[in-house]
Amino acid sequence: MRKYNFSAGPSTLPSEVLQQSAEAILNFNNSGLSLIEISHRSKDFIAVMDEARTLVKKLMKLNDTHEVLFLQGGATLQFAMAPLNLLKTKAAYVDSGNFASASIKEAKKIGNIDVVASSKEDNYTHIPKNYTVPTDVDYLHLTANNTVYGTEIKTFPELHVPIVCDMSSDMLSRDMDFNKFGLIYAGAQKNIGPAGTTLVVVDKTLLGKTGRNLPSYLDYQVHIDKDSMANTPPVFAVYATLMNLKWLEKQGGVAGIEKQNKAKAELLYGEIDRNPLFRGVCVEEDRSLMNVCFFLNDDEKYKTKFDQMWKEAGIVGIGGYRTVGGYRASIYNAMPIEGVQLLVEVMKELERTA
Ligand SMILES: *Cc1c(COP(=O)(O)O)cnc(C)c1O
């Protein structure tokens, strides 16, 4: 039986995507060859890369100013690549969680960083708001969804400087005007595909202004000029991502999946708030639709029993992040509502038998 996998990343993918990806490894397009043993310059693979980039553009309704790239090095490399390509004099950063904090640490190695707001003192239980962004910065860096703490930005500020956004854990989970962003990046393994590729969406009109002579791989313009094939791309990760993008299209695209994601989150937060044995972690208005963090009110009394119950029910991966504790259920696009219903059932059963 397939388990319900609530892991934060790498994380669950639709069964049909796993099936198609497995088939392509054995026999790609009925060629008698494996997807992972053919040339990335072959006609068949170039078609995969083209279709994946085009589909992202379509799903995100991007203008021609915005280019889509599939790179490597994870979101972690983007922590450095973003400032290398866009920071000329100074950049503003919001510290909303551990990944935001990691992005600040990297950016400080490259240039002058102004941390304009932080929720660290409140253990990152909310999204910092009501901050001002200096007019002389090259961009504002935000983390859309804080994977570890379970908070998510609901409305993005309207600014006169570009917004650079780490969307690793909520990319393509909700609809918005993506053309408003100067740069968006996301490690694929949370909500887009398998680990090994990073989706980058960049407004190319912002490039080429820093005067830095960058190593080729670190230069977005090089990847744009080479159609995201400057070197050997992660062929398997891109293929599986393409299958997942097609699946997403069948769900009604980003707006369609957003509806499903909202229904799942409502169901789970509803039970956390209703069930006297549990409590939520974050400020309600900032609660993430993707990573739902919660605690048992009495670990000593119920933890062993609850852990045994959800494991027996076929649920995996709801342990909280090591520094936060408690529980975190990641309900990314590919988690079916049936999985959330099952988890809620187990929480109710714990209450009934307490
Ligand atoms: C997981 C994650 C990262 C790190 O991604 P890697 O691909 O492992 O480098 C960065 N930011 C956010 C918001 C994440 O969830």
Side-chain angles (χ1 to χ4, degrees), residues 263-280:
K264 288 184 287 177
E266 225 163 84
L267 184 61
L268 188 47
Y269 284 119
E271 178 61 14
I272 291 165
D273 292 340
R274 184 209 62 80
N275 193 319
L277 302 189
F278 294 95
R279 69 176 191 280

PDB file of all heavy atoms in Angstrom, residues 263-280:
ATOM      1  N   ALA A 263      -8.640  23.906   0.765  1.00  0.00           N
ATOM      2  CA  ALA A 263      -9.564  22.953   1.394  1.00  0.00           C
ATOM      3  C   ALA A 263      -8.808  22.031   2.349  1.00  0.00           C
ATOM      4  O   ALA A 263      -9.259  21.747   3.466  1.00  0.00           O
ATOM      5  CB  ALA A 263     -10.292  22.145   0.325  1.00  0.00           C
ATOM      6  N   LYS A 264      -7.626  21.573   1.925  1.00  0.00           N
ATOM      7  CA  LYS A 264      -6.821  20.684   2.780  1.00  0.00           C
ATOM      8  C   LYS A 264      -6.388  21.401   4.052  1.00  0.00           C
ATOM      9  O   LYS A 264      -6.495  20.862   5.159  1.00  0.00           O
ATOM     10  CB  LYS A 264      -5.584  20.195   2.009  1.00  0.00           C
ATOM     11  CG  LYS A 264      -5.878  19.179   0.922  1.00  0.00           C
ATOM     12  CD  LYS A 264      -4.588  18.675   0.264  1.00  0.00           C
ATOM     13  CE  LYS A 264      -3.941  19.685  -0.635  1.00  0.00           C
ATOM     14  NZ  LYS A 264      -2.669  19.276  -1.227  1.00  0.00           N
ATOM     15  N   ALA A 265      -5.884  22.631   3.878  1.00  0.00           N
ATOM     16  CA  ALA A 265      -5.372  23.389   5.029  1.00  0.00           C
ATOM     17  C   ALA A 265      -6.505  23.703   6.007  1.00  0.00           C
ATOM     18  O   ALA A 265      -6.348  23.580   7.225  1.00  0.00           O
ATOM     19  CB  ALA A 265      -4.693  24.669   4.561  1.00  0.00           C
ATOM     20  N   GLU A 266      -7.666  24.073   5.465  1.00  0.00           N
ATOM     21  CA  GLU A 266      -8.809  24.394   6.318  1.00  0.00           C
ATOM     22  C   GLU A 266      -9.212  23.197   7.174  1.00  0.00           C
ATOM     23  O   GLU A 266      -9.477  23.321   8.363  1.00  0.00           O
ATOM     24  CB  GLU A 266      -9.989  24.783   5.421  1.00  0.00           C
ATOM     25  CG  GLU A 266     -10.742  26.008   5.866  1.00  0.00           C
ATOM     26  CD  GLU A 266     -11.604  26.542   4.730  1.00  0.00           C
ATOM     27  OE1 GLU A 266     -12.724  26.016   4.562  1.00  0.00           O
ATOM     28  OE2 GLU A 266     -11.130  27.442   3.994  1.00  0.00           O
ATOM     29  N   LEU A 267      -9.219  22.045   6.535  1.00  0.00           N
ATOM     30  CA  LEU A 267      -9.587  20.817   7.227  1.00  0.00           C
ATOM     31  C   LEU A 267      -8.636  20.546   8.394  1.00  0.00           C
ATOM     32  O   LEU A 267      -9.058  20.272   9.522  1.00  0.00           O
ATOM     33  CB  LEU A 267      -9.546  19.669   6.208  1.00  0.00           C
ATOM     34  CG  LEU A 267      -9.968  18.280   6.646  1.00  0.00           C
ATOM     35  CD1 LEU A 267     -11.417  18.291   7.100  1.00  0.00           C
ATOM     36  CD2 LEU A 267      -9.798  17.286   5.483  1.00  0.00           C
ATOM     37  N   LEU A 268      -7.348  20.645   8.137  1.00  0.00           N
ATOM     38  CA  LEU A 268      -6.363  20.290   9.161  1.00  0.00           C
ATOM     39  C   LEU A 268      -6.284  21.346  10.268  1.00  0.00           C
ATOM     40  O   LEU A 268      -6.290  21.014  11.455  1.00  0.00           O
ATOM     41  CB  LEU A 268      -4.993  20.071   8.499  1.00  0.00           C
ATOM     42  CG  LEU A 268      -3.882  19.521   9.376  1.00  0.00           C
ATOM     43  CD1 LEU A 268      -4.332  18.327  10.208  1.00  0.00           C
ATOM     44  CD2 LEU A 268      -2.675  19.126   8.528  1.00  0.00           C
ATOM     45  N   TYR A 269      -6.219  22.626   9.891  1.00  0.00           N
ATOM     46  CA  TYR A 269      -6.186  23.673  10.929  1.00  0.00           C
ATOM     47  C   TYR A 269      -7.485  23.650  11.744  1.00  0.00           C
ATOM     48  O   TYR A 269      -7.479  23.904  12.946  1.00  0.00           O
ATOM     49  CB  TYR A 269      -5.983  25.057  10.312  1.00  0.00           C
ATOM     50  CG  TYR A 269      -4.561  25.327   9.855  1.00  0.00           C
ATOM     51  CD1 TYR A 269      -4.266  25.591   8.519  1.00  0.00           C
ATOM     52  CD2 TYR A 269      -3.504  25.325  10.780  1.00  0.00           C
ATOM     53  CE1 TYR A 269      -2.963  25.848   8.096  1.00  0.00           C
ATOM     54  CE2 TYR A 269      -2.202  25.585  10.369  1.00  0.00           C
ATOM     55  CZ  TYR A 269      -1.936  25.848   9.024  1.00  0.00           C
ATOM     56  OH  TYR A 269      -0.656  26.093   8.629  1.00  0.00           O
ATOM     57  N   GLY A 270      -8.594  23.342  11.063  1.00  0.00           N
ATOM     58  CA  GLY A 270      -9.883  23.257  11.751  1.00  0.00           C
ATOM     59  C   GLY A 270      -9.826  22.232  12.874  1.00  0.00           C
ATOM     60  O   GLY A 270     -10.292  22.475  13.997  1.00  0.00           O
ATOM     61  N   GLU A 271      -9.229  21.090  12.589  1.00  0.00           N
ATOM     62  CA  GLU A 271      -9.148  20.034  13.602  1.00  0.00           C
ATOM     63  C   GLU A 271      -8.166  20.416  14.723  1.00  0.00           C
ATOM     64  O   GLU A 271      -8.430  20.156  15.900  1.00  0.00           O
ATOM     65  CB  GLU A 271      -8.730  18.705  12.945  1.00  0.00           C
ATOM     66  CG  GLU A 271      -8.557  17.543  13.905  1.00  0.00           C
ATOM     67  CD  GLU A 271      -9.837  17.172  14.670  1.00  0.00           C
ATOM     68  OE1 GLU A 271     -10.931  17.636  14.276  1.00  0.00           O
ATOM     69  OE2 GLU A 271      -9.735  16.438  15.674  1.00  0.00           O
ATOM     70  N   ILE A 272      -7.046  21.048  14.346  1.00  0.00           N
ATOM     71  CA  ILE A 272      -6.070  21.475  15.364  1.00  0.00           C
ATOM     72  C   ILE A 272      -6.747  22.447  16.344  1.00  0.00           C
ATOM     73  O   ILE A 272      -6.563  22.366  17.551  1.00  0.00           O
ATOM     74  CB  ILE A 272      -4.842  22.141  14.687  1.00  0.00           C
ATOM     75  CG1 ILE A 272      -4.035  21.094  13.908  1.00  0.00           C
ATOM     76  CG2 ILE A 272      -3.962  22.844  15.716  1.00  0.00           C
ATOM     77  CD1 ILE A 272      -3.027  21.691  12.926  1.00  0.00           C
ATOM     78  N   ASP A 273      -7.560  23.358  15.807  1.00  0.00           N
ATOM     79  CA  ASP A 273      -8.229  24.356  16.651  1.00  0.00           C
ATOM     80  C   ASP A 273      -9.379  23.756  17.462  1.00  0.00           C
ATOM     81  O   ASP A 273      -9.677  24.209  18.555  1.00  0.00           O
ATOM     82  CB  ASP A 273      -8.768  25.513  15.782  1.00  0.00           C
ATOM     83  CG  ASP A 273      -7.638  26.331  15.168  1.00  0.00           C
ATOM     84  OD1 ASP A 273      -6.504  26.257  15.689  1.00  0.00           O
ATOM     85  OD2 ASP A 273      -7.881  27.039  14.169  1.00  0.00           O
ATOM     86  N   ARG A 274     -10.015  22.747  16.891  1.00  0.00           N
ATOM     87  CA  ARG A 274     -11.176  22.148  17.567  1.00  0.00           C
ATOM     88  C   ARG A 274     -10.788  21.134  18.636  1.00  0.00           C
ATOM     89  O   ARG A 274     -11.355  21.101  19.720  1.00  0.00           O
ATOM     90  CB  ARG A 274     -12.055  21.442  16.518  1.00  0.00           C
ATOM     91  CG  ARG A 274     -13.353  20.864  17.062  1.00  0.00           C
ATOM     92  CD  ARG A 274     -13.837  19.649  16.293  1.00  0.00           C
ATOM     93  NE  ARG A 274     -12.908  18.520  16.348  1.00  0.00           N
ATOM     94  CZ  ARG A 274     -12.812  17.675  17.382  1.00  0.00           C
ATOM     95  NH1 ARG A 274     -13.575  17.831  18.453  1.00  0.00           N
ATOM     96  NH2 ARG A 274     -11.927  16.682  17.374  1.00  0.00           N
ATOM     97  N   ASN A 275      -9.778  20.330  18.319  1.00  0.00           N
ATOM     98  CA  ASN A 275      -9.420  19.206  19.177  1.00  0.00           C
ATOM     99  C   ASN A 275      -8.673  19.703  20.424  1.00  0.00           C
ATOM    100  O   ASN A 275      -7.618  20.309  20.310  1.00  0.00           O
ATOM    101  CB  ASN A 275      -8.537  18.240  18.375  1.00  0.00           C
ATOM    102  CG  ASN A 275      -8.368  16.903  19.052  1.00  0.00           C
ATOM    103  OD1 ASN A 275      -8.203  16.840  20.267  1.00  0.00           O
ATOM    104  ND2 ASN A 275      -8.392  15.845  18.264  1.00  0.00           N
ATOM    105  N   PRO A 276      -9.221  19.451  21.611  1.00  0.00           N
ATOM    106  CA  PRO A 276      -8.594  19.980  22.834  1.00  0.00           C
ATOM    107  C   PRO A 276      -7.204  19.393  23.130  1.00  0.00           C
ATOM    108  O   PRO A 276      -6.494  19.925  23.972  1.00  0.00           O
ATOM    109  CB  PRO A 276      -9.592  19.610  23.937  1.00  0.00           C
ATOM    110  CG  PRO A 276     -10.447  18.539  23.358  1.00  0.00           C
ATOM    111  CD  PRO A 276     -10.477  18.737  21.884  1.00  0.00           C
ATOM    112  N   LEU A 277      -6.837  18.327  22.441  1.00  0.00           N
ATOM    113  CA  LEU A 277      -5.533  17.720  22.704  1.00  0.00           C
ATOM    114  C   LEU A 277      -4.402  18.402  21.928  1.00  0.00           C
ATOM    115  O   LEU A 277      -3.234  18.142  22.172  1.00  0.00           O
ATOM    116  CB  LEU A 277      -5.542  16.232  22.336  1.00  0.00           C
ATOM    117  CG  LEU A 277      -6.565  15.335  23.041  1.00  0.00           C
ATOM    118  CD1 LEU A 277      -6.292  13.871  22.720  1.00  0.00           C
ATOM    119  CD2 LEU A 277      -6.535  15.552  24.544  1.00  0.00           C
ATOM    120  N   PHE A 278      -4.766  19.262  20.960  1.00  0.00           N
ATOM    121  CA  PHE A 278      -3.740  19.872  20.092  1.00  0.00           C
ATOM    122  C   PHE A 278      -3.802  21.392  20.133  1.00  0.00           C
ATOM    123  O   PHE A 278      -4.824  21.980  20.483  1.00  0.00           O
ATOM    124  CB  PHE A 278      -3.957  19.407  18.643  1.00  0.00           C
ATOM    125  CG  PHE A 278      -3.730  17.939  18.434  1.00  0.00           C
ATOM    126  CD1 PHE A 278      -4.789  17.042  18.484  1.00  0.00           C
ATOM    127  CD2 PHE A 278      -2.450  17.447  18.196  1.00  0.00           C
ATOM    128  CE1 PHE A 278      -4.587  15.675  18.294  1.00  0.00           C
ATOM    129  CE2 PHE A 278      -2.235  16.092  18.001  1.00  0.00           C
ATOM    130  CZ  PHE A 278      -3.313  15.203  18.056  1.00  0.00           C
ATOM    131  N   ARG A 279      -2.694  21.992  19.722  1.00  0.00           N
ATOM    132  CA  ARG A 279      -2.694  23.453  19.520  1.00  0.00           C
ATOM    133  C   ARG A 279      -1.798  23.801  18.334  1.00  0.00           C
ATOM    134  O   ARG A 279      -0.837  23.079  18.019  1.00  0.00           O
ATOM    135  CB  ARG A 279      -2.231  24.182  20.784  1.00  0.00           C
ATOM    136  CG  ARG A 279      -0.756  23.981  21.119  1.00  0.00           C
ATOM    137  CD  ARG A 279      -0.344  24.817  22.334  1.00  0.00           C
ATOM    138  NE  ARG A 279       1.109  24.825  22.491  1.00  0.00           N
ATOM    139  CZ  ARG A 279       1.807  23.849  23.046  1.00  0.00           C
ATOM    140  NH1 ARG A 279       1.188  22.763  23.505  1.00  0.00           N
ATOM    141  NH2 ARG A 279       3.123  23.932  23.140  1.00  0.00           N
ATOM    142  N   GLY A 280      -2.123  24.907  17.695  1.00  0.00           N
ATOM    143  CA  GLY A 280      -1.311  25.388  16.578  1.00  0.00           C
ATOM    144  C   GLY A 280      -0.073  26.099  17.088  1.00  0.00           C
ATOM    145  O   GLY A 280       0.087  26.320  18.294  1.00  0.00           O
TER     146      GLY A 280
END
